[in-house]
Amino acid sequence: MAIGAVGEFELIKRYFARPEIARIQGRHTGDLMGIGDDCALLDVPTGMQLAQSLDTLVEGVHFPAHCDPFALGYRALAVCLSDLAAMGAEPHSFTLGLTLPRVSELWLKEFSEGLAHLAQKYQLPLIGGDTTKGPLTLSLQVQGLVPKGQALLRSGAREGDLICVTGTLGDAAGALEAVLAGDTQEDCADAHRKCLLDRYWYPSPRLSAGQWLRQSGATSAIDISDGLLGDLRHILEASGMGAVIAPELLPTSFALNQTYGQDAALGMALTGGDDYELCFTIPREQAATLPARIPDDCPITCIGQITNEPGIIRDSQGIPLIEKAYTHF
Ligand code: ADP
Ligand code: MG
């Protein structure tokens, strides 16, 4: 279907089949065929499994109308890559389903530059997709590789394992008001608020950290997209376990503490979504040998322990913590 004066095929050629996104050095050694035919073709090396994840973002639901297209492209791919990080997979390639209400070449240029930025950084080429007309919607699918049988699952947590998180939590929640108001980093006079906005629009998928944790004895992992309490609960459900955590130990950034004060910052760290840090479990013996910073220059903080009380999360005083994580329905 032609979606404007440029035409669908010319649009794909101009913005998505560009070498900066579609032909990443080192990936095209004959084992991968990308955009241009009816299907992409990729080899899965012997002994590896293909890890796949799809995320759909709808304008007005998952991102505000008229937001910065570069940031949108960057964030959409980062969010998707975060699922590969949580499995300990190495990124391989991605596909893009794009639904556009109209063709704006400026928008497409900036959006595709946001994608290209991360595609280059993580050496993952865009290998195909689909382009249609309709309300602005992005569907991104990432492919990754992980040694067979070794992906970090949600179901591996065991009683006594320590619960840890990467980075700082609550920053993206601290930016939400500004995001919804349509503020950009440039509008932001306050350096701390600008920092929070950066964390919302440019999350760092913890890819090296996830692969490192898979090789360092972590028993389960999840990326924190909906809020720590809600996402930890997914690990607990899959593992048939419970948890005790110390909310006062949650790592919060200087910017969040300065903007909202320590108490509110901890509340955001506990239930706020969109940070895309990892929550993982690891047996105590392995945890004892963990460095303070792991690859990605990523700090880790131990916040609690897995218990044998299925589905219950308690704080250090033994009081059950109830989450208010985001759900769509
Ligand atoms: P088909 O009609 O066979 O489904 P299309 O005409 O939709 O193929 O797409 C032509 C080629 O362009 C395919 O290789 C497809 O993967 C690629 N493509 C289409 N849309 C996009 C997009 N938004 N991003 C990347 N590649 C795309
Ligand atoms: Mg076809």
Side-chain angles (χ1 to χ4, degrees):
M1 174 179 47
I3 61 167
V6 191
E8 177 190 342
F9 300 110
E10 182 55 26
L11 180 158
I12 294 164
K13 202 162 109 199
R14 265 189 219 172
Y15 298 103
F16 300 113
R18 292 196 288 134
E20 297 87 337
I21 316 183
R23 297 197 67 78
I24 301 294
Q25 279 287 324
R27 277 291 183 208
H28 291 269
T29 49
D31 64 342
L32 188 149
M33 195 181 80
I35 296 175
D37 214 311
D38 291 307
C39 293
L41 297 172
L42 48 120
D43 279 356
V44 179
T46 314
M48 303 297 269
Q49 272 177 313
L50 193 67
Q52 270 197 331
S53 176
L54 174 81
D55 273 309
T56 297
L57 304 177
V58 180
E59 184 180 52
V61 179
H62 303 99
F63 58 91
H66 314 299
C67 68
D68 174 13
F70 180 94
L72 181 62
Y74 187 107
R75 183 169 187 275
L77 187 51
V79 164
C80 217
L81 282 169
S82 172
D83 286 316
L84 290 182
M87 301 293 279
E90 178 201 341
H92 179 279
S93 52
F94 74 110
T95 52
L96 168 68
L98 188 58
T99 304
L100 297 169
R102 73 197 75 82
V103 172
S104 154
E105 297 225 37
L106 181 61
W107 189 94
L108 281 164
K109 177 175 174 291
E110 291 183 0
F111 173 74
S112 67
E113 280 169 2
L115 289 179
H117 193 93
L118 274 192
Q120 298 270 338
K121 179 166 178 186
Y122 294 112
Q123 301 277 292
L124 87 159
L126 177 61
I127 60 168
D130 197 22
T131 308
T132 53
K133 185 168 179 167
L136 183 59
T137 305
L138 320 170
S139 272
L140 279 92
Q141 176 165 282
V142 285
Q143 281 84 234
L145 293 172
V146 62
K148 217 180 180 80
Q150 286 175 40
L152 265 180
L153 307 181
R154 296 178 179 185
S155 54
R158 294 294 168 259
E159 186 179 0
D161 285 357
L162 297 184
I163 302 167
C164 306
V165 295
T166 62
T168 59
L169 301 180
D171 294 325
L176 211 53
E177 212 180 306
V179 169
L180 294 175
D183 293 357
T184 65
Q185 280 89 327
E186 292 81 60
D187 304 332
C188 223
D190 180 299
H192 298 312
R193 285 188 188 269
K194 182 176 179 308
C195 219
L196 300 180
L197 267 176
D198 262 345
R199 285 271 291 160
Y200 179 91
W201 283 113
Y202 301 103
S204 307
R206 295 297 194 181
L207 284 157
S208 312
Q211 290 167 66
W212 190 88
L213 287 167
R214 168 172 59 71
Q215 294 170 66
S216 304
T219 48
S220 72
I222 191 166
D223 64 319
I224 305 175
S225 52
D226 296 336
L228 173 67
L229 276 187
D231 288 320
L232 172 60
R233 189 169 290 282
H234 293 311
I235 287 185
L236 301 180
E237 274 164 12
S239 302
M241 292 285 144
V244 54
I245 63 170
E248 65 280 9
L249 294 185
L250 297 187
T252 52
S253 69
F254 184 66
L256 193 70
N257 293 337
Q258 290 294 306
T259 307
Y260 293 97
Q262 193 113 43
D263 283 355
L266 285 177
M268 290 174 180
L270 197 59
T271 58
D274 293 320
D275 286 314
Y276 299 99
E277 294 293 347
L278 300 180
C279 172
F280 63 94
T281 58
I282 189 161
R284 197 171 276 277
E285 315 80 72
Q286 267 92 339
T289 66
L290 284 183
R293 277 176 189 268
I294 60 175
D296 287 336
D297 194 29
C298 169
I300 50 181
T301 310
C302 176
I303 58 160
Q305 189 172 322
I306 295 291
T307 65
N308 171 15
E309 194 184 18
I312 309 290
I313 307 178
R314 295 184 187 277
D315 70 10
S316 337
Q317 275 81 52
I319 299 165
L321 289 164
I322 311 296
E323 77 267 24
K324 295 185 236 44
Y326 180 75
T327 61
H328 289 272
F329 297 104

